Amino acid sequence: VVRAFEDGDYVFTHTEYEFFGPKAGFDIFRFEDGRIVEHWDNMSLIADRPNPSGHTQFDGPVKARDLSKTRANKKLIQDFIDTVLIQGNFDELDRFFDGDHYIQHNTAIGDGVSGLSSALAAMAEQGITMVYNTSHMVLGQGNFVLAVSEGAFAGKPTAFYDLFRVENGRIAEHWDVMETILPESQRKNANGKFGFR
């Protein structure tokens, strides 16, 4: 477990797995009376090299700070998900980032808003789309906030788990795991990927 945070009855972790191969994952656990009663996760393969800016899927700060700002930081991330990722208002990026002072851990994207813009442009040239349709949950502790969203990547139904570190009211760092959602015929239970309370 690289990072672990608590939000009410929920604990969310950022974990390095050896599970049918090396995986990066996020887990969410819901507790009742001190026991785990529910679990969600998202996993993807660990990249064999750092991203264009030299960052891995796990490096960076691990301890939550600014605990009194949890609610404000969760609101910021919810606003970012709704405004930019779901509604597609990329002209509002400056409201959420401090220029190019932004550290990126996605395996294919470089640092800064410019790195994000370049990656999105390159995907568009290849006909690859990334669509966020629904925000299901935002959990946070201090300056770390995890957003769970649903959409599609390259035309496949996808679950997006995005972990953000907030600094001075702006997004300063980002880790993520995207996972294709299995069709119902291949699922081992009928709970769905996003059954949050």
Side-chain angles (χ1 to χ4, degrees):
V1 176
V2 179
R3 296 169 179 83
F5 306 103
E6 178 184 355
D7 186 346
D9 294 331
Y10 295 89
V11 169
F12 56 101
T13 62
H14 187 192
T15 304
E16 184 174 352
Y17 281 98
E18 182 58 47
F19 186 71
F20 299 102
K23 299 278 195 327
F26 287 105
D27 291 272
I28 300 172
F29 303 93
R30 185 173 66 83
F31 285 76
E32 286 182 5
D33 301 321
R35 302 289 179 97
I36 297 169
V37 295
E38 203 162 4
H39 170 250
W40 303 261
D41 65 12
N42 235 33
M43 290 189 218
S44 67
L45 288 172
I46 293 177
D48 57 2
R49 65 176 67 91
N51 73 7
S53 294
H55 304 297
T56 72
Q57 289 157 281
F58 300 104
D59 62 343
V62 298
K63 297 205 183 267
R65 298 181 2 231
D66 302 327
L67 299 184
S68 64
K69 297 180 180 177
T70 298
R71 181 177 294 182
N73 290 338
K74 287 171 64 175
K75 186 174 185 294
L76 173 78
I77 297 306
Q78 183 69 72
D79 191 12
F80 171 72
I81 298 291
D82 292 340
T83 302
V84 176
L85 298 181
I86 294 177
Q87 297 171 25
N89 296 321
F90 288 94
D91 56 333
E92 295 201 38
L93 281 172
D94 289 346
R95 189 155 63 87
F96 300 98
F97 296 92
D98 180 15
D100 251 7
H101 300 106
Y102 167 56
I103 300 168
Q104 175 65 259
H105 294 270
N106 181 288
T107 59
I109 302 175
D111 284 350
V113 175
S114 59
L116 176 61
S117 299
S118 297
L120 292 174
M123 285 194 303
E125 284 180 13
Q126 299 171 53
I128 299 171
T129 57
M130 182 172 63
V131 178
Y132 280 63
N133 293 322
T134 307
S135 171
H136 286 283
M137 178 178 262
V138 174
L139 296 169
Q141 183 178 20
N143 60 333
F144 282 91
V145 179
L146 178 70
V148 177
S149 308
E150 181 176 3
F153 182 76
K156 296 180 180 179
T158 300
F160 299 98
Y161 278 46
D162 293 282
L163 180 66
F164 299 92
R165 182 176 63 82
V166 178
E167 190 174 292
N168 299 321
R170 301 291 181 94
I171 297 170
E173 198 160 3
H174 170 251
W175 301 258
D176 69 335
V177 169
M178 299 185 302
E179 185 176 357
T180 301
I181 299 171
L182 288 175
E184 288 187 28
S185 61
Q186 295 180 28
R187 298 175 192 173
K188 301 298 183 185
N189 62 60
N191 299 319
K193 186 83 168 158
F194 304 102
F196 295 105
R197 292 185 180 186

